[in-house]
Amino acid sequence: MADTTKPEEEEPIDEDVEDGDAAAEGGEGGAAAAKKKKKKKKKVKGEAGEAGEGTEGPTPPPPAPPTSAADDKDGAAAPSAAADEDDADADGVAEGGEAGGEAMSASKKKREKAKAAAARKKAAATEAGGEAVAATGGGPAGKVKIYSANETQWSSIIRGIQPWGPYPTPEPDGQPQQHGGEWGLTIPVLQQFPSGNVPHGMEVPYHGDDGRRRTSDAELRELERLHSISYSEIRTAAECHRQVRKHMQSVIKPGMLMTDICEQLENLNRTLVQENGLQAGIAFPTGCSINHVAAHWTPNSGDKTVLQYGDVCKIDFGTHVNGRIIDSAWTVHFDPQFDLLAEAARESTKAGVAAAGIDVRLCDVGAACQEVMESYEVEINGKTYPVKSIRNLNGHSIGPYQIHAGKSVPIVKGGENSTKMEEGELFAIETFGSTGKGYVKEDLECSHYMKNFDVGHIPLRLPKAKQLLQFINKNFDTLAFCRRWIDRAGEEKYLLALRNLCDVGIVQPYPPLVDIKGSYTVQYEHTILLRPTQKEILSKGDDY
Ligand SMILES: [Co+2]
C-alpha cells in the first residue's frame, strides 16, 4: 500500500517545466547525462532470462475481445468504468445516502449478484482455450467462482516474473502444502512449520563499513530488538504472502472479474495465515489498480471490471501476524509490449532495496530508485515514452498495526529528507513507474479506508456512526480496510456513517491514485527488515 506525499508539499508541475528542472539538476551532478547514455532501447521480443516466456506457461492468448464488461459499461479496461453510475464519488469520501451511494439494499444486492454472475459467465466464455482454468466452485449466482491450477507444476501466463520452485519443505512434524480445498491451497503456513521456524527472507550483508559500524553494545541492542520484533511472526506473514501470490500467479488470467481475483486471493490469505481476529489476517485491501490507476483501487461490491489481456494491473496485498505487516506488490501483465515498463519498476525497486541500510538517508534511496527507473524508455502502441518515477508516491516505514509508520521513502531525488533509516526498522520499498505525468491525484470511487493511528476520543452524534466505529475497532482497528469487507460482514446502509467517521477525522479515506488517462503505471514492492547484522528482504520470492 503506497504512501502519498501530501499535495501541498508539492504542486503538480507542468510536464515541460519539470523536464527543464530535471535538465538543470542534471547539470550539477551530470546525472541526467549519465541517464541519457544508459537509456535502453525497447526490445520487442522477450529477453533471455525473463521468466515465463516461451518455456513456461502457455503462449499468451490473443488480445481478449471486448468482454462482458463492455456492454455493462463504456470502457471496460479501466476501473473507472466500474464506478457505479449512481455512486460516483467526486471527493473520494464515502458517498452519503442522499447521493444514492448508500449501501445496497438486499434486493439490489441480489440484482448485483445476478449481474456479476452473468458477467462471470461471459468472462469464462471468452477465455482462450480455457485450458488452465477450472471452475471448481461454479456455484449458484453470486457465489465467487473459484479458479484452481489443475497442473501440479507452477505455470503462469503473467509476464516478467521468474518461475517458482516447489513449496518449501515442511518441518519434520509439519505437513507439506497441498492443492485443493475451497480456495486452492489447504495447509496454513504454521501447519507446515509448527515450531514457527519459518523460512527466512533473502539475507543480504550491508555493504561498506559493515562490522566497523557495530559498536560494543551492538549485541545488546540486537537482543533488545529480538524482543521488540518477532522475526518468526513477520516471517510467517512473509511465507504466507509468497504462497498466496504463487498460487494466484497460476490462476490470474484475462477474462476474470477483479472481484473474483480479490476474493480468492483474500480468502486464500485468510486460510494460510489462519485468520484470527486482530491476531492474524489480511493487513490491507487487495490493491489491483489497472493501467493509469496506480494505487489504492480494489473493487467495491457489485463491481464488474474484468481483467483484460491489454491491462497492466498492480497486485498489492498485505498479510500480518500479530500486527507484523508484510506489504509487497508486483505488476500483472500479459502483453509483451509492457515487459520493459514493468522491468523498470522491478529494477528500480531492486535498486531501492539495495540502497537501503542502517544510517542510509531516505533521500539517497529515492535517488537510487529514480536513477534506474528513468534510465528506461518504452514503446507502447507504437509510441515511445520515457519512464517516469511517480514522484508523489513513496515507500514507507511499517510499525505494529501501522502500515505507514511515519517515515516516507521517496522514489525520486531532490527531496531534503536527510532522515536516516535505523537499525531494527521495517520498510516497504515500493516504486511506481509511469508513461504519464509521473504524478498522481485522487480520483474515482473510494474503496480503501483506515482509522487514523493516533486518533483520540472524538464524540459521535450519529448512533450508526458509533456502531460502525465499534465494528471497525473490533475487526480492523488501525489496519486498512475496504467496503467489501464491511459488506461481507453483513453490515448494511453504513456509507453515511462511514462518511461521518471520515468527516470528524477518525477514519481517513484513501481514494484511488491516478496518473493521466491513457497512461500505464507499474509497481514492484518488497518489505525489508534492517536487522543489526544484515538486511532481510522478507517478502523475496522466486518470482520477484
Ligand atoms: Co506499501
Side-chain angles (χ1 to χ4, degrees), residues 1-3 284 296 316-317 325-329 394-398 403-404 427-430 432 523 525-527:
M1 203 180 152
D3 176 49
F284 53 84
H296 299 172
D316 187 348
F317 73 98
I325 301 169
I326 289 292
D327 179 359
S328 180
N394 305 90
H396 47 95
S397 57
I398 299 175
I403 186 69
H404 298 153
F427 280 98
I429 303 295
E430 57 186 311
F432 292 83
Q523 175 201 18
E525 175 175 25
H526 271 306
T527 296

Side-chain angles (χ1 to χ4, degrees), residues 1 6 400-404 448-458 469 472-473 476-481 498 500-510:
M1 203 180 152
K6 283 162 198 70
Y401 295 100
Q402 190 175 22
I403 186 69
H404 298 153
H448 287 46
Y449 301 84
M450 185 165 65
K451 215 173 80 157
N452 285 321
F453 195 81
D454 300 313
V455 77
H457 176 76
I458 295 176
L469 180 57
I472 291 168
N473 286 338
F476 315 121
D477 193 30
T478 55
L479 296 172
F481 58 92
L498 183 56
N500 185 239
L501 294 179
C502 292
D503 287 345
V504 299
I506 296 174
V507 169
Q508 180 75 35
Y510 291 85

Side-chain angles (χ1 to χ4, degrees), residues 29-46:
K35 218 187 289 171
K36 285 269 145 57
K37 232 181 271 173
K38 281 179 60 190
K39 288 254 192 231
K40 297 182 185 177
K41 278 286 152 217
K42 151 98 177 150
K43 295 154 230 167
V44 178
K45 293 285 168 240

